[in-house]
Amino acid sequence: MAFSYMPGFGNDFETETLPGSLPQGRNSPQRPAYGLYAEQLSGSPFTAPRGTNERSWLYRIRPSVRHTGRFKGMRYPLWKTAPNIGDHELALGQYRWNPVPMPSEPTDFISGMRTMTTAGDAVGQSGMAAHVYVANRSMVDDHFFNADGELMIVPQVGALRLVTEMGVIELRPGEIAVLPRGLVFKVELADKEARGYVCENYGAKFTMPDRGPIGANCLANPRDFKTPCAWFEEKETPCRLIVKWCGTFHVTELDHSPLDVVAWHGNYAPYKYDLATFSPVGAILFDHPDPSIFTVLTAPSGEEGTANVDFVIFPPRWLVAENTFRPPWYHRNIMSEFMGLIHGQYDAKEEGFVPGGISLHNQMLAHGPDASGFEKATRADLKPVKLDNTMAFMFETRFPQMLTRYAAELDTLQENYIDCWADLKKRFNGTPEGDWS
Ligand SMILES: [Fe+2]
């Protein structure tokens, strides 16, 4: 079955699966068509200003109070929530990992969540967590919602089907999806196994960055964001709903599926985005702009220009700058940078950063191109070059990122990562020419 989508970012969408199931001219009729229940899902406080006010009206077979019963506690010990400080012995450092290993035991999207870092404070609704998910089986009768934040899913291996109460999103590596806080969903695997990255954003929702003097176009364009059309199932068999709430997990048993929204309208909804539709803007004469030029989505923190999280990509692009060191420069940053590689090679690292891998350059820790990358870039013939077949990304947050014990003790942590800079030699010899031997 092909699923359809509605284009646009943050639109006031409307969609129905059965003719006349979406009320017109009012939100809460005395008796909604088809015997449906009307229910509001609020993604912002009622009184939030118009630009950030988000809510949707859902018309469903049963109201959500019938999709929860008594909760029991349950545990997902590898899914951590901020603040999660000092649960390991690893000293401060720049770190890099090879891919998180695929599991051998049956693992679904929720049990396969491995938290690498946490930042800020989920209860204070600020900060984020960076996770890797690994999975080898679909969620069938289990459903999930996260009260702690929205989930940005960045697949790296294997296509997924995100079956949500507001519609179905088919997602493959190279695309991303954002599932709003509170949305009920399950994740099915379209392939044998799946791995990818997740940003759990505890703060204000991701939105499109202002483009400033770039103008009305380029970077991510609103029409390339796709929100699913309504979809529902009438499944009267045992199901479970698992909830993440302030870092704790709870489960409730149901005798039917909670994915029963027949029609909905509003602007609080899941969406996906194909990273190949990002139109990069960059230096066309000299120098290397800050990576913020490649921001796809930003989650503001309340302080202007200081993101709770930025989602930044490093897509295929032409490098044309003259008399310029073209890779990213060396730097230290007040923001903390969690990077992943979806496919290909990242231009600041010649080796060691592999697809599915992770690097972490935390608040104020120096980083930049490795020695061989520096060597190459300082001797390159600066003709236009296309950087192709690559897609790296960064979750960059204003908060320091705390490693989890899982990340600190993971076998794929590279012992020798910082040696990639060891061969950067002194070239200062007191002459204006320097020593470029
Ligand atoms: Fe950086």
Side-chain angles (χ1 to χ4, degrees):
M1 157 169 195
F3 298 99
S4 45
Y5 302 89
M6 300 171 282
F9 190 87
N11 290 6
D12 196 45
F13 295 107
E14 59 175 49
T15 169
E16 63 182 13
T17 56
L18 300 175
S21 53
L22 186 70
Q24 295 297 322
R26 68 195 60 221
N27 293 323
S28 196
Q30 186 176 21
R31 288 187 182 187
Y34 297 94
L36 300 173
Y37 287 87
E39 179 177 288
Q40 186 175 210
L41 175 59
S42 292
S44 65
F46 299 141
T47 49
R50 183 189 294 274
T52 53
N53 199 308
E54 300 205 1
R55 63 90 182 89
S56 287
W57 279 90
L58 280 47
Y59 301 92
R60 59 196 318 157
I61 296 172
R62 294 179 174 91
S64 290
V65 284
R66 288 282 293 114
H67 301 322
T68 54
R70 278 184 212 291
F71 285 107
K72 280 190 312 214
M74 70 185 301
R75 278 169 48 76
Y76 289 103
L78 297 182
W79 189 337
K80 299 290 188 195
T81 300
N84 179 64
I85 300 170
D87 72 343
H88 64 83
E89 310 297 317
L90 192 64
L92 183 65
Q94 302 95 327
Y95 288 114
R96 193 167 65 187
W97 293 261
N98 289 332
V100 169
M102 293 291 190
S104 46
E105 65 282 8
T107 304
D108 68 15
F109 182 79
I110 305 301
S111 62
M113 200 67 74
R114 280 88 172 95
T115 307
M116 300 297 292
T117 71
T118 65
D121 179 356
V123 176
Q125 298 190 347
S126 67
M128 53 155 267
H131 314 283
V132 170
Y133 67 87
V134 284
N136 55 21
R137 71 168 182 185
S138 293
M139 296 166 72
V140 179
D141 297 315
D142 278 358
H143 307 79
F144 178 78
F145 82 77
N146 186 359
D148 291 345
E150 64 183 345
L151 297 175
M152 174 186 282
I153 301 171
V154 184
Q156 188 262 322
V157 170
L160 303 176
R161 210 172 304 111
L162 310 176
V163 185
T164 86
E165 57 184 329
M166 297 175 82
V168 180
I169 292 177
E170 290 183 297
L171 196 67
R172 54 172 175 74
E175 298 177 316
I176 62 158
V178 175
L179 304 179
R181 190 191 294 256
L183 183 81
V184 175
F185 68 91
K186 65 178 181 176
V187 177
E188 296 174 350
L189 271 54
D191 296 307
K192 264 208 169 92
E193 51 184 16
R195 180 173 60 214
Y197 309 86
V198 170
C199 177
E200 183 180 6
N201 171 23
Y202 308 137
K205 292 183 72 234
F206 277 112
T207 188
M208 295 180 65
D210 287 331
R211 293 194 191 85
I214 294 171
N217 302 289
C218 293
L219 310 186
N221 286 302
R223 67 188 291 248
D224 297 318
F225 291 85
K226 310 284 185 189
T227 286
C229 294
W231 175 94
F232 74 98
E233 62 184 4
E234 199 182 349
K235 189 170 137 187
E236 305 287 319
T237 52
C239 289
R240 301 199 302 173
L241 177 68
I242 298 154
V243 177
K244 178 175 189 280
W245 196 91
C246 292
T248 58
F249 293 89
H250 309 268
V251 62
T252 184
E253 315 251 340
L254 313 172
D255 58 9
H256 56 268
S257 166
L259 303 174
D260 67 351
V261 176
V262 176
W264 63 266
H265 78 85
N267 63 353
Y268 190 65
Y271 57 87
K272 74 167 182 173
Y273 176 75
D274 182 349
L275 300 177
T277 62
F278 185 88
S279 170
V281 169
I284 51 173
L285 192 58
F286 62 87
D287 269 356
H288 183 110
D290 293 324
S292 48
I293 195 77
F294 299 142
T295 302
V296 180
L297 290 168
T298 182
S301 72
E303 187 173 338
E304 202 179 344
T306 307
N308 187 61
V309 198
D310 279 331
F311 174 66
V312 175
I313 60 171
F314 302 91
R317 60 201 183 273
W318 281 92
L319 304 179
V320 298
E322 299 171 348
N323 187 16
T324 290
F325 180 73
R326 287 181 177 174
W329 14 254
Y330 295 97
H331 81 137
R332 294 175 294 163
N333 189 353
I334 189 171
M335 306 276 283
S336 300
E337 307 176 16
F338 176 102
M339 282 191 67
L341 185 59
I342 300 167
H343 68 89
Q345 185 186 323
Y346 174 59
D347 60 327
K349 294 293 190 298
E350 291 288 305
E351 55 185 46
F353 186 34
V354 301
I358 297 152
S359 73
L360 179 66
H361 300 124
N362 235 322
Q363 176 177 265
M364 285 302 172
L365 291 190
H367 55 283
D370 58 21
S372 53
F374 179 85
E375 196 64 32
K376 236 186 190 174
T378 48
R379 292 171 201 278
D381 177 17
L382 294 181
K383 332 185 267 267
V385 172
K386 185 156 187 208
L387 207 58
D388 217 347
N389 301 315
T390 180
M391 188 60 79
F393 73 91
M394 176 161 69
F395 300 145
E396 186 182 28
T397 171
R398 67 177 299 183
F399 298 103
Q401 295 192 41
M402 304 297 167
L403 280 184
T404 57
R405 174 179 287 274
Y406 174 81
E409 296 180 355
L410 192 61
D411 285 344
T412 65
L413 177 63
Q414 296 177 4
E415 295 287 333
N416 56 356
Y417 171 45
I418 60 170
D419 297 345
C420 76
W421 298 300
D423 291 338
L424 290 167
K425 60 183 188 188
K426 180 179 172 187
R427 297 180 186 276
F428 178 85
N429 64 1
T431 70
E433 296 76 31
D435 172 13
W436 289 94
S437 62

